[in-house]
Amino acid sequence: MQLDFHYYATYCAAYIAGYSHEESLQIAYSAQFTDCCSRTFLSMIGGPPSAATTQLQLELMEAPTDPFGLQDITRIWASFHFLPGDLYAERKGVSKRYLRKYRLICDTNGPLLKDTVELAAGRSLQAVGIAMHVLSDTWAHRWFAGTPSLVINNTNYHFYELLPAGDGFKERQIEFNHDPSGKDEPDKGVYTNSLYQSDEHSIMNLGHGRAGHFPDYSFARYKYLPAWGEYREYLKDNPSDYYHAFCQMVFALECLRADVGFMTGVYDFEAVKPYEKRIKGILGKRQTDASADWKTFAEELSGSEIEDFDEAKYREEYMEAPEPGKNDTFLGKYILAAMAQKSMVTNRIFTSGNPLAGISIDFRKKGFAGIRDFRRLVEEHIRRRTDD
Amino acid sequence: MTRFRRIAALLSGIAMLAVAAALIFIRESFAIRLILAFIGIGMTLRGIRVLYFYLTMARSMVGGRYTLYWGILYLDLGILSGSLSGHPAVYAIIYVAALNGFHGVVSMLRARESRASGAHWRFKMAYGAIQVLLAVAVIVCGVVYRNITVAIYVYAAGLVYYGVFNIVSAFRRTSIVYIQ
């Protein structure tokens, strides 16, 4: 998903769920910031590199694709943007190597989603925002995996957009190009995607790169042959999926606010019903950026002005804070929440017997080991337990 | 291009330059065998690697059968390279030239495809065109004029070109689309 949904739609969902304007802004900011918190940004502010929730294009270009490099890439993308749907999925007649990649396919309403939302319970608004980003992306990015893999993420010429025509739809084959400076043209059905690379671990085969930005457009309805789909055609209905994502976000936020357990597969359609027509109108409109429409709706909803997203908003606060107090700044709380999410997802993937996200060590049993950045998470965990 | 690929391109470029130099200074018959060994081992290893990838991964992928076809093709070409070393040099010359020519045609077709989809294509087209020209030159020298020595020199010149091309690629900036 893009800024229009991660920032403005998340704000709307939070407000409908009962959060105040200020709280909703913080949640929305954190949700969108998950697409901005790169190692480059963290090194600029003096933050721990392991808290990165995304990778910039330049970082991806230089990212090594040896086993350790792939684990690093997978930890980021699987934890925040392509949450695996079923880490224990079975498939007959495939190698173990293939099955490991297959089990990282993102899907909605998986056990990891429940863990993600529950991880945010009783924690900061920043943790809530990260959870909402992850939840939203399970709907937009479903059927792709957050690890470089040709055999999972590839697409081919069989990619058709379904355009509304009368009571039904007409098909139009999508034309993909690789022009780095080109813009997507929804009217003509021309979109940019990543270049075909036969190397299994090429960065071009990460996530939904082979489908371009298309899965992130709320108006998109399409059918295609996922590389793992055994030649079965899969239909993706983004207007419906995004509406489900919104209603699920509202439910999740209500659960977090009331501190009650979250369940997957539950959507608060009732709370969203008064705004259904408006929201579906925004989602169905053919535009590559729906920010203006969402912003207008959000401001009407709350009666407050919604400032534009500014990646650097909380930068100075973090940089100027003294070392012991950094964890209490906005970005400090975000960093802790991001590391907790990454740690949790990596642990789940590792304990399922899949080494693709790296090794996870339970510090309570074996003491602290591994990436030094995570010591701050351990210390925060100990501090919280002491305070409780 | 990642840092690892740049280093690999640089090293393979240097290796090609070294082999080209060796071809110029060693005996003709040994040079032919060296060329065939170079190609044969490379193709065979590549074929094995591609077939292994097919068996463990690509057979479960939509369109994975093309990986099988490529793997079989590489392996066959590698074995064929090895079997030609005992035959008259002219057959080896034809084989090597045909291989390069085919590779050049494929590069040009891929360049055309890249051009149609808006990606960079000129470099690839030039590479393919020069491969085809070198293949023609090798055949003319080795088969038409029956001058094996000159054919080897032309092939060595081709290796110098590929080597320099690889080295230049290693330092070239690439603006390829990555989708976030």
Side-chain angles (χ1 to χ4, degrees):
Chain A
M1 285 190 178
Q2 308 178 115
L3 183 142
D4 50 17
F5 203 92
H6 282 313
Y7 187 57
Y8 295 107
T10 302
Y11 171 91
C12 295
Y15 197 83
I16 292 172
Y19 286 93
S20 69
H21 163 70
E22 276 306 321
E23 288 171 333
S24 300
L25 264 184
Q26 289 194 35
I27 291 169
Y29 184 95
S30 302
Q32 172 55 26
F33 190 66
T34 307
D35 275 342
C36 306
C37 186
S38 62
R39 283 207 171 97
T40 305
F41 181 89
L42 288 165
S43 73
M44 189 172 41
I45 65 169
S50 295
T53 60
T54 191
Q55 289 176 292
L56 302 176
Q57 294 216 358
L58 281 174
E59 292 171 359
L60 282 171
M61 276 174 74
E62 294 301 321
T65 51
D66 60 325
F68 295 117
L70 288 172
Q71 285 173 353
D72 186 50
I73 293 168
T74 305
R75 268 196 295 274
I76 291 173
W77 295 93
S79 299
F80 299 102
H81 308 280
F82 296 88
L83 198 71
D86 185 358
L87 290 175
Y88 298 90
E90 289 297 335
R91 183 159 161 176
K92 287 201 173 82
V94 299
S95 65
K96 205 186 228 181
R97 189 178 163 206
Y98 182 90
L99 196 58
R100 285 173 181 161
K101 300 265 174 121
Y102 183 76
R103 285 174 170 173
L104 291 184
I105 294 172
C106 174
D107 208 344
T108 57
N109 292 303
L112 265 178
L113 178 63
K114 189 171 181 342
D115 293 340
T116 295
V117 176
E118 286 182 347
L119 185 67
R123 292 185 185 225
S124 62
L125 294 174
Q126 289 77 6
V128 173
I130 289 173
M132 293 307 105
H133 181 105
V134 174
L135 185 158
S136 306
D137 272 354
T138 61
W139 288 92
H141 298 165
R142 64 192 304 206
W143 304 333
F144 292 97
T147 190
S149 175
L150 172 75
V151 299
I152 299 293
N153 293 326
N154 192 39
T155 63
N156 61 7
Y157 62 90
H158 192 103
F159 208 113
Y160 297 89
E161 188 176 2
L162 301 174
L163 300 165
D167 289 336
F169 298 95
K170 68 171 183 183
E171 289 178 13
R172 178 172 69 184
Q173 190 169 26
I174 299 266
E175 188 188 323
F176 282 118
N177 68 40
H178 318 298
D179 184 359
S181 58
K183 281 190 160 53
D184 290 348
E185 295 176 80
D187 294 336
K188 295 178 185 170
V190 177
Y191 301 92
T192 307
N193 75 342
S194 64
L195 209 58
Y196 173 79
Q197 293 277 300
S198 60
D199 179 11
E200 164 68 3
H201 297 135
S202 168
I203 289 296
M204 300 294 175
N205 298 323
L206 173 64
H208 60 80
R210 292 289 293 141
H213 285 294
F214 198 56
D216 284 334
Y217 295 142
S218 64
F219 64 82
R221 276 185 193 90
Y222 56 96
K223 57 180 189 175
Y224 75 113
L225 300 179
W228 51 266
E230 297 179 287
Y231 292 91
R232 279 194 301 268
E233 209 173 51
Y234 278 68
L235 172 66
K236 188 79 169 42
D237 184 345
N238 276 2
S240 169
D241 284 352
Y242 278 45
Y243 187 70
H244 278 76
F246 187 87
C247 296
Q248 189 172 50
M249 265 207 296
V250 171
F251 174 68
L253 288 160
E254 285 167 344
C255 291
L256 288 169
R257 191 163 168 274
D259 202 16
V260 299
F262 169 77
M263 288 169 291
T264 53
V266 180
Y267 314 88
D268 197 347
F269 294 119
E270 280 307 306
V272 180
K273 207 170 175 54
Y275 319 104
E276 181 180 351
K277 194 176 171 193
R278 181 73 179 272
I279 292 170
K280 284 185 174 174
I282 296 171
L283 295 175
K285 192 173 166 185
R286 286 184 76 78
Q287 52 185 348
T288 56
D289 184 1
S291 294
D293 288 343
W294 275 111
K295 183 175 177 177
T296 306
F297 174 55
E299 288 176 341
E300 285 173 15
L301 191 64
S302 63
S304 306
E305 194 185 330
I306 315 290
E307 58 190 14
D308 289 344
F309 177 78
D310 177 11
E311 182 185 298
K313 184 177 176 183
Y314 296 102
R315 203 171 59 190
E316 299 304 321
E317 183 201 17
Y318 184 84
M319 288 167 76
E320 288 166 7
E323 192 50 55
K326 279 198 191 304
N327 283 352
D328 295 323
T329 61
F330 186 99
L331 286 184
K333 291 175 191 169
Y334 179 90
I335 283 167
L336 284 172
M339 291 169 78
Q341 170 70 10
K342 192 185 278 190
S343 183
M344 184 274 290
V345 175
T346 304
N347 177 263
R348 296 291 187 274
I349 294 174
F350 179 69
T351 51
S352 74
N354 193 332
L356 289 181
I359 295 172
S360 174
I361 298 169
D362 188 338
F363 71 89
R364 281 166 295 211
K365 290 179 187 163
K366 301 198 174 169
F368 183 81
I371 300 172
R372 193 173 46 197
D373 290 346
F374 284 87
R375 184 178 283 282
R376 137 186 341 218
L377 184 66
V378 170
E379 286 165 1
E380 179 64 19
H381 173 82
I382 293 168
R383 188 182 73 85
R384 279 165 58 92
R385 285 182 67 186
T386 309
D387 288 347
D388 290 343
Chain B
M1 212 190 265
T2 63
R3 205 170 285 156
F4 177 76
R5 282 190 185 271
R6 288 182 193 276
I7 293 169
L10 185 62
L11 289 176
S12 73
I14 293 169
M16 284 181 188
L17 292 178
V19 170
L23 284 175
I24 291 167
F25 294 112
I26 58 176
R27 260 191 0 259
E28 183 186 291
S29 57
F30 191 68
I32 297 280
R33 285 206 195 101
L34 183 65
I35 293 170
L36 287 172
F38 193 57
I39 293 171
I41 291 169
M43 288 284 187
T44 304
L45 287 175
R46 196 168 183 187
I48 291 170
R49 190 166 58 87
V50 172
L51 286 173
Y52 176 75
F53 176 66
Y54 172 77
L55 287 170
T56 55
M57 299 288 271
R59 65 187 168 94
S60 308
M61 174 179 115
V62 166
R65 64 182 182 278
Y66 296 109
T67 307
L68 174 66
Y69 301 156
W70 278 109
I72 292 171
L73 183 66
Y74 285 132
L75 195 60
D76 284 349
L77 287 173
I79 293 168
L80 179 62
S81 301
S83 70
L84 280 174
S85 63
H87 287 78
V90 67
Y91 295 121
I93 295 289
I94 292 170
Y95 169 73
V96 168
L99 214 55
N100 274 326
F102 174 72
H103 195 219
V105 168
V106 168
S107 292
M108 288 168 73
L109 288 172
R110 285 202 174 135
R112 231 182 70 167
E113 204 181 279
S114 294
R115 184 184 178 191
S117 59
H120 299 297
W121 61 276
R122 286 189 174 86
F123 208 45
K124 217 179 284 183
M125 183 64 86
Y127 180 79
I130 289 176
Q131 274 190 307
V132 170
L133 285 170
L134 276 168
V136 169
V138 167
I139 286 183
V140 166
C141 295
V143 179
V144 176
Y145 290 106
R146 294 199 176 264
N147 192 328
I148 305 294
T149 307
V150 173
I152 289 171
Y153 286 167
V154 171
Y155 186 76
L159 273 183
V160 168
Y161 168 74
Y162 302 144
V164 168
F165 179 88
N166 273 8
I167 292 168
V168 167
S169 293
F171 293 102
R172 207 168 139 240
R173 274 173 54 185
T174 45
S175 59
I176 305 176
V177 178
Y178 294 89
I179 305 294
Q180 283 181 277

